[in-house]
């Protein structure tokens, strides 16, 4: 299993939209993708996918992520003892890292090959701490405006600082707002654009209704993830699809073994 961080220095850029679209595109290509929401202060994947805490199940000591149209989804908003409807999460950074560790180690990801991580916005200590976990790669999301370009540039430099390969840039909300942030960032940092998402009422309505997004906007990004997965499979370190990634290891052995899976296209409804 490889971890692909979906990052952006700006809130509201479309990271959640990209996670959902790329996951479904990967499934359509025959790869099992899952989504992990690491925005602890405002987790939104659960709501966006139409899932609730009632959809959460357990297998022994491990949490089984509920499925959104064949995509396993895990978010702090699904935990039964937490209420994020209108209450902020007020914990210190140390506790946040403990929670993140639990989300990685105590979830049964089954036969997931690609874990897409919906990262929190910004470029502060929280994002830095998550990048220190060592994701295999990242996809950067921006909107066209100059204000987005400036914020996204910071997180690109942060990813470079940690030597995290950036697979590409996805420019969201194209043709709805002025600017050319995606092209400018691509030229400045030599990162190719792997997706452009136009403003489309069908996408907006699908998000509102927790329905699958049109995958044609996300196939190029999915292809870059598949290429990265193939590279990992061929790498000399023996890291194979289905194996727990390095950040799930504790004292040299996996914290859990894959015990179940949700195959592409098996689910016909968000909650299974």
């Amino acid at each position: 299993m490889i971890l692909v961080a979906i990052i952006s220095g700006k809130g509201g850029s479309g990271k959640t939209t990209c996670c959902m679209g790329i996951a479904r595109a990967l499934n359509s290509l025959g790869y099992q993708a899952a989504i992990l929401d690491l925005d602890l202060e405002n987790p939104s994947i659960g709501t966006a996918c139409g899932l609730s805490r009632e959809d959460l199940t357990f297998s022994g000591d491990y949490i089984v992520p509920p499925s959104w149209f064949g995509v396993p989804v895990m978010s702090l908003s699904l935990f039964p003892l937490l209420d994020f409807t209108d209450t902020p999460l007020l914990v210190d950074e140390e506790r946040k890292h403990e929670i993140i560790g639990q989300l990685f180690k105590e979830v049964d990801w089954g036969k997931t090959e690609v874990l897409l991580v919906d990262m929190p916005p910004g470029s502060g200590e929280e994002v830095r701490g998550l990048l220190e976990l060592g994701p295999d790669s990242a996809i950067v999301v921006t909107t066209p405006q100059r204000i987005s370009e400036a914020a996204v540039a910071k997180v690109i430099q942060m990813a470079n600082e940690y030597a995290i390969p950036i697979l590409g840039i996805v420019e969201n909300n194209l043709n709805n707002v002025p600017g050319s942030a995606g092209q400018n960032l691509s030229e400045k940092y030599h990162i190719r654009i792997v997706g452009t998402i136009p403003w489309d009422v069908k996408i907006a309505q699908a998000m509102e209704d927790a329905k699958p997004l049109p995958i044609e906007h996300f196939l190029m990004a999915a292809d870059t993830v598949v290429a990265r997965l193939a590279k990992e499979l061929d790498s000399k370190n023996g890291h194979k699809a289905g194996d727990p990634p390095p950040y799930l290891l504790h004292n040299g052995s996996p914290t859990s073994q894959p015990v179940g899976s949700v195959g592409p296209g098996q689910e016909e409804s968000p909650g299974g």
Side-chain angles (χ1 to χ4, degrees):
M1 179 168 73
I2 64 168
L3 185 153
V4 180
I6 309 300
I7 60 176
S8 175
K10 182 180 180 299
S13 61
K15 295 185 300 297
T16 297
T17 302
C18 285
C19 277
M20 294 169 69
I22 295 171
R24 286 284 296 175
L26 283 165
N27 278 16
S28 76
L29 295 173
Y31 297 88
Q32 180 60 64
I35 300 173
L36 173 60
D37 184 357
L38 284 188
D39 187 346
L40 302 185
E41 296 183 0
N42 187 30
S44 58
I45 282 284
T47 301
C49 294
L51 300 171
S52 67
R53 59 195 65 185
E54 286 75 21
D55 298 308
L56 206 63
T57 58
F58 295 84
S59 175
D61 295 329
Y62 298 100
I63 302 166
V64 179
S67 175
W68 173 73
F69 295 96
V71 177
V73 175
M74 190 66 245
S75 172
L76 204 62
S77 64
L78 300 176
F79 274 55
L81 298 180
L82 299 173
D83 184 3
F84 284 92
T85 51
D86 55 9
T87 305
L89 177 68
L90 301 176
V91 296
D92 57 30
E93 291 300 316
E94 182 178 352
R95 178 58 182 143
K96 283 184 181 180
H97 284 286
E98 291 176 2
I99 293 170
I100 290 166
Q102 287 180 285
L103 287 172
F104 276 124
K105 297 175 183 178
E106 297 181 13
V107 174
D108 171 22
W109 292 110
K111 294 184 179 179
T112 294
E113 295 169 282
V114 178
L115 182 59
L116 300 168
V117 179
D118 191 356
M119 296 281 281
S123 54
E125 286 305 312
E126 184 175 1
V127 174
R128 182 176 294 274
L130 293 173
L131 291 178
E132 286 175 352
L133 291 171
D136 297 278
S137 54
I139 290 176
V140 176
V141 184
T142 186
T143 54
Q145 307 104 304
R146 284 189 299 114
I147 192 171
S148 179
E149 181 179 339
V152 174
K154 294 177 183 178
V155 83
I156 288 176
Q157 294 183 62
M158 186 179 291
N160 290 339
E161 179 183 338
Y162 287 98
I164 297 168
I166 298 177
L167 302 182
I169 295 170
V170 174
E171 191 167 31
N172 186 33
N173 221 4
L174 203 64
N175 303 327
N176 185 46
V177 293
S180 55
Q183 189 63 40
N184 294 343
L185 291 166
S186 175
E187 293 174 358
K188 181 176 181 178
Y189 294 102
H190 308 288
I191 305 169
R192 67 178 183 142
I193 294 176
V194 297
T196 54
I197 307 172
W199 166 251
D200 187 339
V201 68
K202 293 179 181 178
I203 296 176
Q205 193 61 55
M207 290 288 293
E208 187 68 18
D209 296 338
K211 299 295 185 183
L213 309 184
I215 65 171
E216 61 266 23
H217 302 302
F218 306 96
L219 283 171
M220 187 184 299
D223 283 340
T224 65
V225 173
V226 169
R228 181 67 187 180
L229 178 61
K231 184 175 180 180
E232 290 296 324
L233 288 169
D234 292 337
S235 66
K236 296 179 181 179
N237 62 13
H239 184 197
K240 301 176 181 178
D243 289 344
Y247 33 82
L248 294 189
L249 300 181
H250 180 65
N251 294 331
S253 18
T255 57
S256 65
Q257 294 294 327
V259 295
S261 66
V262 180
Q266 288 183 350
E267 297 293 338
E268 296 301 327
S269 62

